[in-house]
Amino acid sequence: AEEKAKKAAFFAPEDELVFNPDPSASFQNMNLSRPIMRGIANVGFSTPTLIQQKAIPVALLGKDVVGGAQTGSGKTAAFVIPILERLLYRPKKVASTRVLILCPTRELAIQAHSVAVKLAAYTDIKFGLAVGGLSVNVQAAELKKRPDIIIGTPGRFIDHMRNSQGFGVDTIEIVVLDEADRMLEDGFADELNEIINTIPKSRQTMLFSATMTDSVDKLIRLSLQRPVRLMVDTKKT
Ligand code: ADP
Ligand code: MG
């Protein structure tokens, strides 16, 4: 019964349920720029996973996205690829942080950072990390250079938001809440709410999660606007 309740919570009426990969789907027909295609080759991906097939085109349009997909389904590249593509055409006169990616742990943030850096190998897009275990002051100095993308954990990011001189979130245009279920399980709800409420509303927000619990749903309603909801499940049960 608990399993059934979980399933029921997982799928909302407006969800697009996706079970089968489209055999004709490819990175080539997603209209991605050359440096991004080279980055994809650099990480060795030849065909998009199901969540990538669905999420990349929607994210490229600037829409809010909810992506429900199991661990190992390729969610990182599903949001990193469209972000890099959109950043390629940013004005470059003044450095400014446009993207915030939040992950539940330092390890997951560093993992996402390493994939993103490889995907961005043929671009001039710059990254910053906001995770624990590194000196706050050294990190603050890095973040002051306004990297295009900051990847971090909610705890450390909020620390910078509150305490680091000259650190602002007003230029952030895209927010990703990665592994949202885990961030909530780990007790980051208050931090997420504060961060989300401080970043301008005109942003694009994407939320990815392996499970859709009530608290994830609440976070979706709080932070996303008219999201396209993609629920990917390769197990046909
Ligand atoms: P999730 O966040 O959904 O758990 P990840 O983004 O961490 O999944 O990806 C899981 C694994 O799948 C990683 O090792 C990644 O390199 C690999 N992967 C992701 N997308 C592709 C792809 N299109 N082709 C081949 N491997 C991929
Ligand atoms: Mg992940």
Side-chain angles (χ1 to χ4, degrees), residues 8-204:
F10 193 84
F11 300 118
E14 67 271 35
D15 287 345
E16 182 188 344
L17 308 183
V18 193
F19 297 102
N20 294 309
D22 173 355
S24 67
S26 71
F27 288 117
Q28 280 74 19
N29 55 30
M30 286 180 177
N31 273 318
L32 298 166
S33 301
R34 245 187 101 69
I36 307 301
M37 291 302 289
R38 292 181 68 195
I40 293 169
N42 189 38
V43 291
F45 299 170
S46 47
T47 52
T49 67
L50 204 42
I51 187 70
Q52 291 162 8
Q53 290 177 23
K54 287 295 175 177
I56 293 172
V58 175
L60 283 173
L61 295 173
K63 294 187 183 177
D64 282 6
V65 178
V66 172
Q70 294 149 284
T71 302
S73 55
K75 293 189 287 293
T76 314
F79 59 78
V80 170
I81 290 169
I83 286 172
L84 298 179
E85 177 70 31
R86 299 195 69 205
L87 282 183
L88 271 188
Y89 301 101
R90 72 203 182 283
K92 291 173 195 169
K93 281 211 170 131
V94 249
S96 98
T97 298
R98 296 169 193 275
V99 180
L100 170 65
I101 298 171
L102 291 174
C103 304
T105 64
R106 164 197 157 80
E107 287 69 31
L108 287 168
I110 290 172
Q111 230 175 69
H113 174 263
S114 117
V115 174
V117 166
K118 285 181 195 143
L119 282 166
Y122 301 95
T123 74
D124 58 0
I125 294 166
K126 302 211 167 43
F127 294 87
L129 271 171
V131 297
L134 299 168
S135 140
V136 184
N137 290 335
V138 172
Q139 222 169 63
E142 284 302 309
L143 299 183
K144 232 176 263 179
K145 296 181 196 160
R146 304 181 189 278
D148 301 288
I149 300 178
I150 294 178
I151 305 180
T153 52
R156 182 53 77 94
F157 185 80
I158 215 163
D159 203 1
H160 287 294
M161 220 172 70
R162 288 174 179 159
N163 307 319
S164 294
Q165 289 274 327
F167 181 80
V169 300
D170 48 305
T171 56
I172 293 178
E173 297 168 358
I174 304 177
V175 174
V176 177
L177 306 175
D178 188 22
E179 316 255 358
D181 48 353
R182 272 200 65 185
M183 289 200 283
L184 292 167
E185 276 165 31
D186 294 350
F188 283 128
D190 291 346
E191 284 84 351
L192 289 174
N193 290 343
E194 183 175 337
I195 293 167
I196 279 296
N197 286 324
T198 313
I199 295 173
K201 290 271 174 293
S202 52
R203 66 180 188 261
Q204 175 183 25

